[in-house]
Amino acid sequence: MTAGKPLMDVLTGRIPSRRPIWLMRQAGRYLPEYREVRAHAGSFLGLCDDAKLASKVTLQPLRRYDLDAAIVFADILLIARALGSKLDFRDSEGPVLTPIRSDVDVEALARRVDLERLKAVFETLVRVKKVLASHQTLIGFCGGPWTVASYMIEGGSSEDRLVAREAAIRRPDWFEELMRRLVDASIDYLAAQVEAGAEALQIFDSWAGDLPENLQEELIFEPVQAVITGMRKRVKAVPVIGFARGLGAAHRDFAIKCNLAAVSVEQGVPLAWVKSVLMPRLSVQGNLDPLILSVGGEALDSAVRRITSLLPAHSHVFNLGHGVRPETPPEHVGRLVETVRQADGAGGG
Ligand code: CP3
C-alpha cells in the first residue's frame, strides 16, 4: 500500500510512513525571517490581511525544517473583527478589542460573519496549497467559541480572565447570544477554509482549562461539537483536531463528544494515561513543553525520546503542549525534528 501524507494518515486511522510532526505557532517571532516580513508589513494585522506576505510566513518554517504540515498564518481573533468588533494588536499589550459586556454590546455585532473581511485567509490557503510538497498537509483553524468569547469580553488579554469567567458562571442573556454568534460564525469560517483548500482543521480552545467541570459540557463540548457538525453539513469531510488546553482528564469526553480525529493535549497530561485511555480510541497530538524546546540541549533530547518511546507513531502527531515561545532559538526546532526522526529510525514509524 502506498502511504499518503503522514499527518492525514494518522488523522484518518491509516498507518503513516513516519510519525508526523508540526508545531503550534511554528511561524512567528522566534524566526528572524518572520520578524523581517512582519517589519515590512508594518503590523501583525497588516501581515494577516496581505495574502502574499501571509503565505510567505506560513511557509517559512517549512523551508527550514522537515515538517509535515503548514498551518495558515492568521489569528483566532480575526473572527471578532469580521463580526464587527474593533481589533488591534499592540506590541506591548497583545490584542485589544471592543469589550462585550451587555445586550447592547452584543447587538452591535453583526449577526453573520463577514467572510469578505477574512478573504486574505482564504487566499493564503489557496496560495500555500499550490506550493506544498506532496507529503505536507495544509491546516486551517479557528478558536473555540469560549476562548474567543473570553478575549471579546475582556477586551484583550487578561491574566486571569475574571470578567469572562464570571459571565460564564452567571450566564446572562448577552453571554449566551455571544456564544451562539461565535458558533455560527465559526461554522461559516471553517467551511470557507475547507473550500479554499484546508485539508485538516484545528480548533484552539486555549482557555478551556479556565472552566470548572460543571461548565465544560455546555461551554466547551457542545459549542465545539456544534461548530464541527455545522461545518460537516456544508463541506466534504475533513479531520478535526481539538485543542482544549488544560482539560486534563476531560480530554477523553471532549474527544468522544466532539467526534475528533485527534485530541491535542497540554504538557501536564501523563503519557501513560494518553496511551492507555485516549489512544485506543483516537489519535493524540502533543505534548512537549514549549519551555523545554526553548531550553534545548539534553533536556530537549531526553523529553523527545520519552515521548517517542512511550507513544506509538501510528496514533501520534508530534507537537508541543502549547505554541512555540518567541525566545526559542530556531536551531532547537531543527534539533527537535531531527531527534524525532532519529528516534523513530530511518523511514521508521
Ligand atoms: O504558526 C502558527 O501557528 C500561525 C498562526 C497563529 C497565530 N496565532 C499567529 C500569531 C495561530 C494558530 C494563532 C492562534 C492564537 N492566537 C491562539 C490560540 C493558540 C494559543 O496560543 O493559545 C490565541 C489565544 C491567539 C490570540 C493571540 N494572538 C494573542 C493573545 C496574541 C498576542 C500574544 C502573542 O503571542 O504575541 C496574538 C498575536 C499573534 N498571533 C502573533 C502571531 C505570530 C504575534 C504577533 C506579532 O508578530 O507581533
Side-chain angles (χ1 to χ4, degrees):
M1 198 182 84
T2 48
K5 303 181 181 210
L7 177 59
M8 290 304 280
D9 285 341
V10 168
L11 295 179
T12 55
R14 292 186 301 249
I15 304 289
S17 59
R18 65 182 191 187
R19 184 188 309 259
I21 175 170
W22 69 280
L23 304 177
M24 293 189 266
R25 297 284 196 104
Q26 64 190 25
R29 281 167 300 186
Y30 75 104
L31 291 176
E33 61 270 32
Y34 168 80
R35 296 196 297 268
E36 206 174 290
V37 177
R38 163 85 163 69
H40 176 72
S43 69
F44 173 64
L45 281 177
L47 178 49
C48 293
D49 288 339
D50 183 327
K52 207 169 158 206
L53 296 181
S55 48
K56 191 170 178 179
V57 297
T58 301
L59 291 163
Q60 284 175 343
L62 286 86
R63 299 215 187 290
R64 277 185 183 248
Y65 319 112
D66 184 16
L67 297 163
D68 294 295
I71 180 161
V72 64
F73 191 82
D75 195 86
I76 64 163
L77 299 178
L78 296 183
I79 205 166
R81 191 182 57 168
L83 279 169
S85 171
K86 285 213 176 76
L87 175 66
D88 191 12
F89 281 85
R90 302 203 184 130
D91 285 342
S92 47
E93 311 164 57
V96 181
L97 302 100
T98 323
I100 305 290
R101 298 181 183 181
S102 71
D103 292 326
V104 176
D105 295 340
V106 175
E107 286 313 318
L109 296 172
R111 253 170 213 290
R112 295 295 295 267
V113 65
D114 181 1
L115 292 179
E116 193 52 32
R117 299 209 66 181
L118 293 160
K119 66 171 194 275
V121 178
F122 313 130
E123 197 190 324
T124 302
L125 286 161
V126 171
R127 282 173 176 265
V128 172
K129 184 83 171 275
K130 280 191 191 142
V131 297
L132 274 191
S134 61
H135 70 281
Q136 292 164 335
T137 298
L138 180 56
I139 303 175
F141 72 91
C142 73
W146 158 248
T147 293
V148 177
S150 75
Y151 281 99
M152 293 177 80
I153 295 166
E154 297 287 344
S157 295
S158 139
E159 197 166 320
D160 39 27
R161 296 167 299 285
L162 279 177
V163 185
R165 286 158 60 201
E166 192 173 321
I169 293 167
R170 291 187 192 276
R171 299 288 274 281
D173 289 345
W174 64 262
F175 175 83
E176 304 273 305
E177 179 61 19
L178 176 61
M179 289 289 287
R180 276 196 294 274
R181 288 193 195 192
L182 285 170
V183 167
D184 291 344
S186 305
I187 292 170
D188 290 349
Y189 185 34
L190 289 185
Q193 290 188 52
V194 173
E195 277 162 2
E199 300 167 284
L201 298 168
Q202 176 153 322
I203 299 179
F204 289 88
D205 223 343
S206 304
W207 296 122
D210 271 359
L211 297 175
E213 184 185 4
N214 66 312
L215 295 180
Q216 288 167 357
E217 177 79 36
E218 282 172 87
L219 297 182
I220 306 292
F221 308 164
E222 285 173 12
V224 170
Q225 184 189 31
V227 170
I228 296 172
T229 51
M231 181 266 302
R232 283 197 176 130
K233 283 186 193 141
R234 303 259 198 92
V235 287
K236 67 171 198 285
V238 291
V240 179
I241 306 166
F243 179 50
R245 190 168 67 95
L247 278 190
H251 279 299
R252 180 176 178 274
D253 275 1
F254 173 60
I256 295 168
K257 286 181 178 155
C258 297
N259 201 6
L260 300 173
V263 67
S264 193
V265 298
E266 68 276 7
Q267 55 267 22
V269 178
L271 298 183
W273 181 84
V274 164
K275 189 175 176 187
S276 64
V277 176
L278 296 179
M279 280 192 161
R281 314 187 61 123
L282 80 160
S283 294
V284 178
Q285 175 173 281
N287 72 344
L288 181 73
D289 183 350
L291 194 57
I292 294 184
L293 178 59
S294 149
V295 169
E298 178 49 31
L300 174 60
D301 294 348
S302 64
V304 172
R305 278 196 303 269
R306 181 165 184 274
I307 294 172
T308 52
S309 63
L310 288 172
L311 302 181
H314 59 84
S315 305
H316 182 225
V317 178
F318 201 103
N319 206 316
L320 303 176
H322 198 190
V324 178
R325 300 172 59 88
E327 75 277 13
T328 306
E331 58 277 15
H332 291 188
V333 176
R335 175 145 178 169
L336 162 66
V337 177
E338 277 166 30
T339 318
V340 170
R341 300 296 184 221
Q342 279 162 13
D344 286 333

